[in-house]
Amino acid sequence: MTAPSTTARLEPGFASAFAALCLGAVAMGISPIFVRFASADMGGAPADVGPFASAFWRVSLCLPLLYAWMRDRGEARTRRCA
């Protein structure tokens, strides 16, 4: 008797999705370091950047990119369904 094969088959986009997941986790892990850099004294004048201000700017600066991505995915879905 032979044992059944337990080889896992990956979906075609799995590698790119996993890479994006890892890159996002690294970016989230590094972001407090950038807040510390922004909060450091710059030429004698402290830059008051708190966690809420940095979160606001991170979200507001990424919204155009997320909106474009949403529109692109929506158009791809309507092309596929039509």
Side-chain angles (χ1 to χ4, degrees):
M1 277 187 75
T2 61
S5 176
T6 58
T7 304
R9 292 194 178 136
L10 301 177
E11 296 292 325
F14 179 78
S16 61
F18 187 71
L21 177 73
C22 291
L23 184 64
V26 168
M28 287 176 60
I30 290 176
S31 66
I33 295 171
F34 293 129
V35 172
R36 292 283 182 187
F37 285 150
S39 295
D41 288 339
M42 295 182 196
D48 294 325
V49 178
F52 291 111
S54 66
F56 169 78
W57 285 111
R58 281 185 297 210
V59 170
S60 63
L61 292 175
C62 79
L63 279 178
L65 177 65
L66 291 174
Y67 180 73
W69 185 25
M70 177 195 69
R71 295 288 303 223
D72 182 53
R73 297 291 291 176
E75 290 174 5
R77 186 173 294 130
T78 57
R79 275 187 259 130
R80 192 173 17 156
C81 292

